[in-house]
Amino acid sequence: MLTRRALLAGGASLAASAATGPRPVRAAARRAPLRDLFRLGVASGEPAPDGVVLWTRLATDPPALDGLGGMPRRQVSVDWQLARDEHFRHVVRHGTETARPEAAHSVHVELEGLEPGAEYFYRFRAEGGLSETGRTLTAPAPGSRGRALNLSFTSCADYQTGWFTAYRRMADDHPDLIAFLGDYVYEYGDYEHRVRDQAGGECLDLAGYRLRHAQHKTDPDLRAAHAIAPWAVVWDDHDVRNAWAGDVPRRRRAAAFRAYYENMPLRRAQRPHGAALRLHRSIRWGAVANLHLLDTRQYRDPYACTGDSDTVGPDCAERLDPGRTILGPEQQTWLDAELRDSHATWDLLGQQVFMMEMDWARGPAEGWSNEGWDGYVASRDHLAATIHAHRRNAVVLTGDVHSHWAGQVGRDHRDPGAEPVAVELVTTSVTSAGDGRDEYPDTRNLLAENPHVSFFNGRRGYVRTRITEREMTVDFRSLAYVTRPDAPAYTSGSFVIEPGDPTLNPA
Ligand SMILES: [Fe+2]
């Protein structure tokens, strides 16, 4: 006897198979298997000494405008395997998860009890189809010495603006960990001048954000970067809405947060609760490094002075207000404790916006960014004092500005003689701002006016680092173009940083 449930499932299967012609009613009632379910690839993230998160999201038709990727409104059973070898001869774990329509058929497998400092391979199977294989790593055991961290990071991947070649070049390097520092998607509608077409208009609701994420994951270069190494992600403004600072309606924020969680290899601790999602957390890499991931978006005070994200000049008193915060009190207290209790050689601060002081106005005029830490001077001074007090070797990893920069964060920004407390490495974008140039006409003036800033490159790309207890080497990787596919990457700047001395030494 056909139950209502079987009829509904049969109807969904018939709809899904309409393109391939009619099927016998009995086969439909048995549910024809869904085909090509793994078009969004696989990912892993949040490595710990004993575990990692495995991710996939099922979609047969990623550009479907309802954001559900062409999937029927029913649960799908997804098997997963974890092995020590890429041929899956030594499977060490396996299991089954349920992909649910209310989670856009995303699957998060949070593994525990694995070997520290180990390489693993994983894959998923559903409805007779097999995903591609992903490679992932667990972090070294707590306090363990002698293990390097090969970390690459980037930001700002605007699909319409160009090809995601930077992701491919990151994957080519086989890093241990990829940090993504915000603007994984852009919420914008269609540009008049665009390199690639996207589906859907501006992201305003859950369907819109889900669709935009699905669109991105159809990109083979991005999928390659996810499949090669675990990721650690934080968001910036465009993951929700341009330049947002608490002023986005809760409904839209909740939709963006939910789609973000569904589409990223995050832990359950990062599951959103309405318009709140705790994104700040630390990832520990043995004795070498603690990576503290910060959220400078969700808890920041409104923009100073002009009320928006403009660069302001000559100055205004509000940005110097000692009560202003970019992290919010809870996150700042958490970060204070992380730095106080850290025993790693390096404390990496993965975050969104320019931290070092930067005068963006040419000549004797001054122009401070309202969006970066220059608009929240009290927060920066507090963090610098904390780094100094606990004698941490801090390196700030930054995105947002669509160009490579390197420089130093000062201890007291009202005292030009105060020594620096940290190096800041700012990555360029994957695509945002288009092909770019190595230098612009006023680049040298800008560097001359900001002597604590030592490097600029205006192309697209990523930053590649190798971090040991003895030194951190940094390669700024650049691409000659992104408006065409497949550009080779070149190193536009190389530096070495040594513990105890926040100085960028030429490599
Ligand atoms: Fe951006």
Side-chain angles (χ1 to χ4, degrees), residues 155-157 182-183 186 236-238 400-402 429 432:
S155 70
C156 299
D183 293 357
Y186 278 70
D236 197 11
D237 55 334
H238 290 288
D400 180 53
V401 289
H402 311 161
S429 55
S432 302

Side-chain angles (χ1 to χ4, degrees), residues 259-415:
Y260 190 82
Y261 173 78
E262 287 172 351
N263 287 280
M264 292 295 185
L266 288 166
R267 291 182 181 274
R268 284 185 291 273
Q270 274 67 54
R271 216 154 35 182
H273 300 279
L277 187 158
R278 185 193 162 110
L279 202 53
H280 56 281
R281 64 209 189 275
S282 297
I283 288 174
R284 305 177 203 289
W285 206 266
V288 175
N290 288 329
L291 170 59
H292 310 292
L293 294 151
L294 310 185
D295 178 355
T296 63
R297 274 292 153 200
Q298 201 174 168
Y299 316 108
R300 64 163 63 201
D301 282 328
Y303 294 115
C305 312
T306 63
D308 64 33
S309 60
D310 290 348
T311 297
V312 294
D315 207 345
C316 83
E318 193 184 353
R319 73 179 192 98
L320 303 170
D321 179 342
R324 281 178 65 69
T325 177
I326 195 170
L327 296 178
E330 193 277 335
Q331 183 177 197
Q332 179 166 298
T333 302
W334 163 83
L335 181 58
D336 287 350
E338 285 290 317
L339 292 169
R340 180 193 67 214
D341 298 339
S342 176
H343 298 290
T345 302
W346 303 95
D347 283 277
L348 313 174
L349 301 165
Q351 57 101 42
Q352 294 78 25
V353 290
F354 237 78
M355 187 180 287
M356 54 192 163
E357 187 169 58
M358 187 74 196
D359 173 9
W360 297 95
R362 258 168 294 174
E366 290 180 340
W368 312 107
S369 162
N370 242 353
E371 188 145 21
W373 293 67
D374 269 335
Y376 302 82
V377 173
S379 286
R380 182 175 56 202
D381 285 347
H382 178 90
L383 176 54
T386 306
I387 292 166
H388 183 76
H390 300 302
R391 301 170 184 275
R392 296 284 84 210
N393 299 309
V395 178
V396 182
L397 316 178
T398 302
D400 180 53
V401 289
H402 311 161
S403 38
H404 282 319
W405 301 80
Q408 294 168 303
V409 181
R411 178 142 80 98
D412 180 346
H413 287 264
R414 280 146 300 185
D415 175 3

Side-chain angles (χ1 to χ4, degrees), residues 1-15 25-26 28-31 74:
M1 196 177 80
L2 280 176
T3 62
R4 180 173 167 274
R5 192 187 156 116
L7 276 170
L8 287 173
S13 296
L14 275 176
V25 172
R26 269 184 50 186
R30 277 206 319 268
R31 283 181 184 164
R74 66 163 167 94

Side-chain angles (χ1 to χ4, degrees), residues 9 51 57 59 113 117 119 128 133 147 149 161-162 165 194 198 240 252 266 281 301 330 332 343 357 372 436 439 451:
R57 178 184 162 197
E119 182 183 57
T133 293
R147 294 292 300 262
L149 168 59
T161 301
T165 313
R194 55 185 180 266
Q198 63 180 15
V240 179
R252 185 176 181 184
L266 288 166
R281 64 209 189 275
D301 282 328
E330 193 277 335
Q332 179 166 298
H343 298 290
E357 187 169 58
E439 267 195 29

